[in-house]
Amino acid sequence: MTDAAELFSEERSAEVVAASFAATPDPRLRRVLTSLVRHLHDFVKDVELTEAEWAAAIDFLTATGKMCTDTRQEFILLSDVLGASMLVETINNRAVGGLTESTVEGPFHMVASPPRDLGADIAEDGKGAPCLVTGSVTGSDGAPVANATIDVWQANDEGYYDVQQPGVQPPLNLRGLFTADADGTFWFRTIVPRYYPIPQDGPVGRLLTATARHPNRPAHIHFEVSAPGYRTVTTHLFVAGTPYIDSDAVFGVKPSLVREFPEVDDPGRAAEVGLPNPFRTVNFDVVLRPDTVDREA
Amino acid sequence: MTDAAELFSEERSAEVVAASFAATPDPRLRRVLTSLVRHLHDFVKDVELTEAEWAAAIDFLTATGKMCTDTRQEFILLSDVLGASMLVETINNRAVGGLTESTVEGPFHMVASPPRDLGADIAEDGKGAPCLVTGSVTGSDGAPVANATIDVWQANDEGYYDVQQPGVQPPLNLRGLFTADADGTFWFRTIVPRYYPIPQDGPVGRLLTATARHPNRPAHIHFEVSAPGYRTVTTHLFVAGTPYIDSDAVFGVKPSLVREFPEVDDPGRAAEVGLPNPFRTVNFDVVLRPDTVDREA
């Protein structure tokens, strides 16, 4: 009365479980789950996972879920340190020649950046090495993107975001929402950010410790650049020479996103841009993809 | 200053992430994580997971963690419905000819079974079709295992375990810890269990609904049989002909574990075993592997 051919076996485990999803109404969900089951079973078989290791995995995943709150997303952190976030991001934003490459958004874009005028200083507490950021937004045809929106956020010179230091940093410190001018150019004042560790007080931190991995991200400024008719790009501007530039804990670095931040020692120029002398500078020209271009083009 | 060859790319994603685990002190942990990363990245690439699907996966895993309590383990349930629990169990307990096959322990062995005398009735509320369970415990050489320990637990005839119905079922209803006699035989009285659904009020239930899978497990009695010098076997005795015997939601059925529960209509025998007439019977002979036998033998 039981049909052994349809029952679970080590040899046919993935087939049998995949078959249980055969009636899934959504064909995409069916495809994703079938592939997930196949790769999950291949992994278990490849390492011959022991019962104790399986139990440890259950405990780890449970603790990861328990760590999540409105302001802490430990599963995203886990996806990040396993390179899964960066892989999904890369697959869905394959760079076409000349376009600005994207990278992970990260977990700190949790508050809306305040609209600010071009040239404004987003370092509300004035702490750190002053820096002038300039740049332009163009389409892939080279035409300026007038009035593009540039959303920026970054850590301070101690490696903390405002939301991590309430009462220490002013609210919305080092965040700004800018509108490029008619020829797509933008500029603002800030300070040079520092590298920082991802949160280490949860299961992901324990994983990094157990594997002798450091938790640090190289110094960067987050950019999200958008304009009607163009695909939004979420990316970072990395500080050349920052510690951990070759070993980002979340694998976010792409060579095209790394820039020198040279020092300018010129009192006249400093006065002109409203910064103390000397100051650092960086230029970031952003190239957007028109919405009409197929992503595989 | 950045070495592009060491940075993340779609093509080399798994290699780059695996390399980050290269200094893991425990070689087994390094091996498991390297394989995990490779299969995880293969999965993401195979289906070209979208950013929306990735976000849905993060939300699903987070909700699964949030559902876990001291008496509810949603990640084990997830592992169960994906066949991962059964695969780990099968790999680690490969059947050698003649030995009793194992299956998943399940989440309901959370309270210790009460020691009972051979012949005792574990159906404390007397509800359901009465049943006599008989059996023997031998080693793979056929020699009886005197005084083997037989731990049994099961659902009632409505498909619920005692811990799911506090105040409805007596505490420790349908659980018992027996000691076989000197020739390894055992017997006890119970009722025939019913099939039942796994818990459906969490993320795993939503997964089953979205994939048009039923949540049911075929009727079974759990056994955990142990004795000094033998490897403990954790298994089920399945009721032949029960609904869902060919489509267990957690893939636990093995043909060697399915038994008929025939009815006996014999007032004399009924009086002898202390059950109303007619009653059901089942026999389960358990064969244990000596600890000294290599599992691959």
Side-chain angles (χ1 to χ4, degrees):
Chain A
M1 69 201 53
T2 61
D3 178 355
E6 293 180 358
L7 291 178
F8 188 96
S9 66
E10 182 175 341
E11 294 69 27
R12 300 188 58 247
S13 69
E15 284 173 76
V16 169
V17 177
S20 76
F21 289 116
T24 302
D26 178 346
R28 173 64 182 171
L29 180 59
R30 184 168 66 242
R31 160 116 175 75
V32 170
L33 287 172
T34 300
S35 179
L36 175 68
V37 164
R38 182 162 63 81
H39 288 92
L40 174 62
H41 285 225
D42 280 352
F43 160 64
V44 170
K45 291 175 183 181
D46 178 32
V47 300
E48 299 215 333
L49 200 69
T50 69
E51 289 160 301
E53 289 165 348
W54 172 85
I58 294 289
D59 288 348
F60 181 86
L61 291 168
T62 304
T64 301
K66 295 289 181 203
M67 197 76 197
C68 294
T69 66
D70 286 349
T71 56
R72 175 73 176 267
Q73 229 308 345
E74 194 78 356
F75 268 116
I76 290 184
L77 213 54
L78 179 59
S79 171
D80 289 351
V81 302
L82 294 178
S85 307
M86 195 59 190
L87 180 58
V88 169
E89 191 282 327
T90 301
I91 285 175
N92 287 279
N93 298 280
R94 289 191 179 108
V96 184
L99 292 176
T100 296
E101 290 192 289
S102 60
T103 189
V104 289
E105 182 174 42
F108 291 114
H109 197 208
M110 53 178 63
V111 293
S113 301
R116 301 188 194 258
D117 292 333
L118 285 177
D121 194 342
I122 66 174
E124 302 210 351
D125 57 5
K127 293 182 185 167
C131 181
L132 175 68
V133 180
T134 58
S136 66
V137 183
T138 58
S140 46
D141 59 357
V145 179
N147 310 126
T149 298
I150 301 110
D151 188 352
V152 299
W153 67 103
Q154 68 170 70
N156 68 7
D157 74 333
E158 293 178 336
Y160 293 101
Y161 290 82
D162 55 352
V163 294
Q164 294 177 291
Q165 291 191 310
V168 177
Q169 294 186 46
L172 304 177
N173 193 34
L174 296 169
R175 296 176 189 268
L177 188 67
F178 296 97
T179 303
D181 67 15
D183 63 356
T185 63
F186 64 88
W187 65 100
F188 61 90
R189 291 171 290 163
T190 183
I191 55 94
V192 180
R194 202 192 77 153
Y195 67 89
Y196 60 83
I198 61 173
Q200 294 166 267
D201 57 337
V204 173
R206 291 197 293 278
L207 174 65
L208 294 184
T209 300
T211 57
R213 277 179 56 174
H214 75 74
N216 295 291
R217 300 213 58 210
H220 59 273
I221 302 174
H222 292 266
F223 279 75
E224 191 172 289
V225 182
S226 57
Y230 293 89
R231 189 179 166 96
T232 297
V233 64
T234 301
T235 192
H236 297 1
L237 177 60
F238 288 94
V239 181
T242 173
Y244 310 111
I245 191 73
D246 289 328
S247 61
D248 185 353
V250 309
F251 308 98
V253 177
K254 292 178 176 176
S256 74
L257 302 175
V258 181
R259 293 285 183 288
E260 301 288 340
F261 280 57
E263 187 175 276
V264 173
D265 186 354
D266 179 341
R269 178 66 179 147
E272 194 176 281
V273 302
L275 286 175
N277 192 61
F279 62 98
R280 307 273 291 276
T281 60
V282 65
N283 188 75
F284 189 38
D285 293 330
V286 176
V287 183
L288 297 181
R289 170 165 42 193
D291 263 344
T292 51
V293 174
D294 180 81
R295 77 150 93 150
E296 302 295 333
Chain B
M1 68 202 48
T2 61
D3 178 356
E6 293 181 357
L7 292 178
F8 188 95
S9 66
E10 182 174 341
E11 293 69 26
R12 301 187 58 248
S13 69
E15 284 172 78
V16 170
V17 177
S20 76
F21 289 116
T24 302
D26 177 347
R28 173 64 182 170
L29 180 59
R30 184 167 67 242
R31 159 114 174 77
V32 169
L33 287 172
T34 299
S35 179
L36 175 68
V37 164
R38 182 162 64 81
H39 287 92
L40 174 62
H41 285 224
D42 279 352
F43 160 64
V44 170
K45 291 175 182 181
D46 178 32
V47 300
E48 299 215 334
L49 200 68
T50 70
E51 289 161 301
E53 288 165 348
W54 172 85
I58 295 290
D59 288 348
F60 180 86
L61 291 168
T62 304
T64 301
K66 295 290 181 201
M67 196 78 197
C68 295
T69 67
D70 286 349
T71 55
R72 174 74 176 266
Q73 229 308 344
E74 194 78 357
F75 269 116
I76 291 184
L77 213 53
L78 179 59
S79 171
D80 289 352
V81 303
L82 294 178
S85 308
M86 194 60 190
L87 180 57
V88 169
E89 189 284 327
T90 301
I91 285 174
N92 287 279
N93 297 280
R94 290 191 179 108
V96 184
L99 291 176
T100 296
E101 290 192 289
S102 60
T103 189
V104 289
E105 180 174 44
F108 292 113
H109 198 207
M110 52 178 64
V111 293
S113 301
R116 301 187 195 258
D117 292 334
L118 285 176
D121 194 341
I122 66 174
E124 302 209 352
D125 58 4
K127 294 181 183 168
C131 182
L132 175 69
V133 180
T134 59
S136 66
V137 183
T138 58
S140 46
D141 59 356
V145 179
N147 309 124
T149 299
I150 301 111
D151 188 350
V152 298
W153 66 103
Q154 68 171 69
N156 68 8
D157 73 333
E158 294 178 335
Y160 294 101
Y161 289 82
D162 56 351
V163 292
Q164 295 177 292
Q165 291 190 312
V168 175
Q169 294 187 45
L172 303 177
N173 193 34
L174 297 169
R175 297 176 187 269
L177 187 67
F178 296 96
T179 302
D181 66 15
D183 62 357
T185 64
F186 63 89
W187 66 100
F188 60 90
R189 290 170 291 162
T190 184
I191 56 94
V192 180
R194 204 192 76 154
Y195 67 89
Y196 60 84
I198 61 173
Q200 295 167 268
D201 56 337
V204 173
R206 292 197 292 278
L207 174 66
L208 295 184
T209 301
T211 56
R213 275 180 58 175
H214 74 75
N216 295 291
R217 301 212 58 211
H220 59 274
I221 301 173
H222 293 266
F223 278 75
E224 191 172 290
V225 181
S226 56
Y230 294 89
R231 190 179 167 96
T232 297
V233 64
T234 301
T235 193
H236 298 0
L237 177 60
F238 289 95
V239 181
T242 173
Y244 311 111
I245 191 74
D246 289 328
S247 61
D248 185 352
V250 309
F251 308 99
V253 177
K254 292 179 176 174
S256 74
L257 302 175
V258 181
R259 293 286 183 288
E260 300 288 340
F261 280 58
E263 187 176 276
V264 172
D265 186 354
D266 179 341
R269 176 69 177 146
E272 194 176 282
V273 301
L275 286 175
N277 191 62
F279 61 97
R280 308 273 291 275
T281 60
V282 65
N283 189 74
F284 189 38
D285 292 330
V286 176
V287 183
L288 297 181
R289 170 166 41 194
D291 264 343
T292 51
V293 174
D294 181 82
R295 77 150 95 148
E296 303 293 333

